[in-house]
Amino acid sequence: MAENYDIYQTPFNSRYCSSEMKYLFSPRNRFSTWRKLWLWLAEAEMELDLKGISDDAIKQMRDHVDIKDEEFAVVAAEEKRQRHDVMAHVHAFGLVSPEAAGIIHLGATSCYVTDNADLIFLRDGLNLLLPKLATVIRKLKDFALEHKDLPCLGYTHGQPAQLVTVGKRTCLWIQDLLMDLRNIERARDDLRFRGVKGTTGTQASFLALFAGDHQKVKNLDRLVTKKAEFDTAHPAYQITSQTYSRKIDIDVLSSLGSFGATCQRIGADIRHLAMLKEMEEPFEAGQIGSSAMAYKRNPMRSERLCSLGRYLTNLPKNAVETYAGQWFERTLDDSAVRRICIPEAYLCADACLILLDNICSGFVLYPAIIQRRIDQELPFMVTENIIMALTAKGISRQDAHEEIRVLSHQAACNVKVDGGDNDLLDRIRKTDFFKPIVGQLEQLLDPKTFVGRAPEQVAEFIQGDFALLDKDRQDTMTEDEKAALTNGEVQLALNKYLAVTSNTEIASVHC
């Protein structure tokens, strides 16, 4: 028998993902869930007085609901003989539950276990992802508040633009992640159960089992749905074919694919900031950036985030084409691709969230570099303020514009052609025309006067009404009073995840 080192291993398993997500899509969990579904069906049929199902049968099924290691070989041998995976598992379950062997899968079709199990995995997987996403948003929220007042260059078209703040730029990421949080929550909350529908969705086999009693068939559907915890807010779909509609896969994977695009956007921003030496992702003391260039601090986590985000963004196309390619009540060309793309979408989203959590837990800021870049560009940005200050002294606006235009082009030439520093302010100080406002230059150059309402926008976006209070009032409030007024968009979205902590596996993330 070949060792694991001789068999391809997906990096999702070996490098990138959490244990809980890998277990969710594991063979043991999948086939144990099938057994739970058979147990729930038998229990519900018994509760509705269907004859031939004994207490011993139910007990044996319940005792063997978790598939054991040695049973996988039995299943493999039987599937090789029958060429049918579900019937191979029916056979194996019957061997360990002999009293139930004749009633396992009674009235059901294969999609009763395969599709219902998939819906459980879709739901449970989103429930694993959402708290991790909330944790990332919470950490970015704290970072944004801490640096809401720190000015930095904004960039439009990749060129220096009006100043923003580090906290305000972070809120751009938070806002997009909040959209992802809402999209994923909605996709989860819209999920329903396939339930007990039979071979083409008509429930004909169950109507035959219950001798034409429509109410018992409806009750059977409700009972099994409730056992799968899709009751009340998440009832079973009333209309299905042999499968649940593959459009549901589009809905779920699209929310994850959209999150993948956000990961690419955030990762690219961090990589650009690292290139500008303004901010970096965490870098451990013993970490090696390059095998050749020992000085390097490559943003490898953010690069990996972009790579995985790109992969995740492209996965929903499989769901779209699979849905579009279905015929009538069902064709089996949906099976193989769904076995691959659905688990991989969840595993990839999980890997991205582990990376984001890791990155957001240890941003490294370089305020001196940020200030230097502001100093290089701010003299150009302040020119309009200088013109306004001169006109306030009674000087012609057109004359002021021409004088500063000439000096600005000279300073730009010094930077671009001669490789010098931006010396526009020195040129202004040495030119007699500007003597009336030279004493105001320091005030006109204060970066905080160029960020508009950025600090207030950050606080209001995150904290809501609490941010509008003066600091003395904030300091005298009780915790309950603070909580009542902390109603910003970010905090309201996070309230349901207050008990969330970060992923314990983050420290072991591979390169």
Side-chain angles (χ1 to χ4, degrees):
M1 178 178 177
E3 297 294 334
N4 286 340
Y5 298 114
D6 300 315
I7 300 173
Y8 171 76
Q9 298 286 332
T10 169
F12 288 127
N13 272 348
S14 60
R15 301 181 73 84
Y16 299 144
C17 298
S18 66
S19 297
E20 61 266 25
M21 191 61 79
K22 288 187 282 190
Y23 177 76
L24 180 66
F25 291 101
S26 68
R28 190 182 311 280
N29 187 52
R30 178 173 297 278
F31 301 132
S32 294
T33 302
W34 287 10
R35 291 187 176 190
K36 288 177 186 176
L37 285 158
W38 282 318
L39 171 63
W40 296 335
L41 178 61
E43 287 176 337
E45 289 172 338
M46 186 178 184
E47 290 168 28
L48 293 169
D49 300 319
L50 189 66
K51 304 302 181 185
I53 303 175
S54 66
D55 290 335
D56 285 343
I58 297 296
K59 182 180 184 306
Q60 286 184 0
M61 292 175 74
R62 192 174 291 132
D63 289 345
H64 295 92
V65 76
D66 292 322
I67 188 169
K68 301 295 190 295
D69 289 356
E70 59 272 16
E71 294 179 78
F72 284 97
V74 175
V75 170
E78 191 64 19
E79 183 175 354
K80 186 175 181 180
R81 185 180 72 84
Q82 295 189 15
R83 306 295 295 173
H84 198 290
D85 56 347
V86 172
M87 288 307 296
H89 278 275
V90 169
H91 171 79
F93 198 16
L95 290 179
V96 295
S97 309
E99 291 296 320
I103 56 94
I104 293 171
H105 201 65
L106 183 59
T109 187
S110 296
C111 286
Y112 166 71
V113 288
T114 58
D115 274 38
N116 281 323
D118 282 344
L119 288 164
I120 291 171
F121 302 150
L122 292 177
R123 176 198 65 192
D124 292 353
L126 296 181
N127 283 333
L128 288 175
L129 294 174
L130 283 165
K132 296 180 181 182
L133 178 52
T135 295
V136 169
I137 295 171
R138 177 177 58 79
K139 292 184 176 182
L140 286 173
K141 173 206 74 170
D142 293 342
F143 182 80
L145 283 173
E146 181 181 355
H147 300 290
K148 65 183 175 65
D149 298 306
L150 180 60
C152 64
L153 278 181
Y155 289 89
T156 59
H157 308 274
Q159 303 299 310
Q162 188 74 34
L163 299 190
V164 295
T165 69
V166 171
K168 171 63 164 51
R169 176 176 286 140
T170 305
C171 284
L172 297 178
W173 304 340
I174 294 173
Q175 181 164 258
D176 292 348
L177 289 170
L178 284 177
M179 293 174 65
D180 294 318
L181 189 77
R182 287 191 290 269
N183 287 341
I184 295 171
E185 286 176 337
R186 184 205 53 75
R188 178 201 59 191
D189 294 343
D190 283 353
L191 281 173
R192 298 187 183 187
F193 201 52
R194 177 191 176 275
V196 179
K197 297 298 194 295
T199 54
T200 57
T202 65
Q203 298 177 307
S205 58
F206 296 103
L207 196 61
L209 277 178
F210 287 100
D213 191 328
H214 286 260
Q215 190 57 50
K216 282 194 172 182
V217 175
K218 291 167 67 176
N219 289 342
L220 179 70
D221 206 0
R222 293 192 187 109
L223 280 172
V224 176
T225 299
K226 186 172 183 179
K227 289 175 186 291
E229 298 180 355
F230 276 89
D231 59 324
T232 311
H234 308 284
Y237 294 104
Q238 286 188 298
I239 300 298
T240 74
S241 59
Q242 186 174 96
T243 70
Y244 69 77
S245 172
R246 297 307 182 223
K247 201 168 183 69
I248 295 161
D249 295 339
I250 298 177
D251 200 30
V252 174
L253 265 64
S254 292
S255 71
L256 299 182
S258 181
F259 166 66
T262 306
C263 292
Q264 292 184 75
R265 162 66 196 276
I266 294 173
D269 277 357
I270 295 169
R271 291 163 64 192
H272 281 109
L273 289 169
M275 183 176 67
L276 298 172
K277 295 180 170 55
E278 292 188 16
M279 187 172 81
E280 293 177 343
E281 64 184 33
F283 196 91
E284 278 77 28
Q287 183 174 328
I288 295 174
S290 168
S291 62
M293 296 168 279
Y295 60 89
K296 294 195 74 177
R297 292 170 63 104
N298 297 335
M300 57 89 174
R301 291 174 177 84
S302 300
E303 290 174 312
R304 190 189 326 137
L305 181 64
C306 289
S307 182
L308 290 171
R310 187 183 313 131
Y311 186 74
L312 179 55
T313 302
N314 282 284
L315 283 174
K317 187 173 185 288
N318 294 296
V320 170
E321 294 191 354
T322 297
Y323 162 71
Q326 287 295 284
W327 302 354
F328 305 118
E329 278 65 51
R330 195 269 171 98
T331 53
L332 195 59
D333 59 323
D334 65 342
S335 179
V337 66
R338 293 178 67 255
R339 288 175 192 253
I340 298 168
C341 73
I342 292 177
E344 285 199 348
Y346 278 77
L347 291 164
C348 195
D350 185 60
C352 288
L353 283 166
I354 291 174
L355 274 170
L356 272 172
D357 193 323
N358 181 275
I359 294 167
C360 297
S361 297
F363 281 135
V364 181
L365 271 181
Y366 296 104
I369 298 293
I370 292 172
Q371 185 60 51
R372 181 194 296 176
R373 295 189 64 78
I374 291 174
D375 292 342
Q376 289 172 343
E377 302 295 338
L378 195 58
F380 294 133
M381 297 179 189
V382 80
T383 53
E384 186 173 3
N385 289 5
I386 292 174
I387 292 172
M388 295 302 101
L390 286 166
T391 59
K393 299 288 186 180
I395 297 171
S396 164
R397 186 262 177 201
Q398 274 64 38
D399 290 344
H401 183 278
E402 178 60 18
E403 289 286 339
I404 207 161
R405 183 189 71 82
V406 171
L407 296 185
S408 295
H409 282 287
Q410 290 172 356
C413 183
N414 185 55
V415 172
K416 296 177 179 178
V417 178
D418 300 331
D421 293 330
N422 188 336
D423 62 355
L424 176 60
L425 296 178
D426 289 337
R427 294 174 187 270
I428 289 172
R429 289 187 180 98
K430 293 175 182 177
T431 302
D432 289 343
F433 182 85
F434 295 97
K435 278 185 178 179
I437 55 89
V438 166
Q440 297 176 242
L441 281 179
E442 292 305 318
Q443 178 184 348
L444 293 173
L445 283 165
D446 182 359
K448 292 185 178 179
T449 65
F450 288 83
V451 299
R453 295 194 67 252
E456 291 76 16
Q457 287 176 333
V458 172
E460 292 164 15
F461 178 50
I462 293 171
Q463 297 176 316
D465 292 338
F466 179 75
L468 303 178
L469 303 175
D470 61 66
K471 190 172 187 309
D472 289 340
R473 174 68 178 118
Q474 291 178 352
D475 292 342
T476 60
M477 295 175 72
T478 66
E479 290 303 315
D480 287 343
E481 289 174 329
K482 290 179 182 179
L485 288 175
T486 303
N487 54 9
E489 182 180 344
V490 178
Q491 194 56 54
L492 288 177
L494 294 181
N495 282 342
K496 68 187 76 170
Y497 302 100
L498 288 177
V500 171
T501 56
S502 64
N503 190 329
T504 56
E505 295 193 33
I506 285 168
S508 65
V509 173
H510 288 79
C511 296

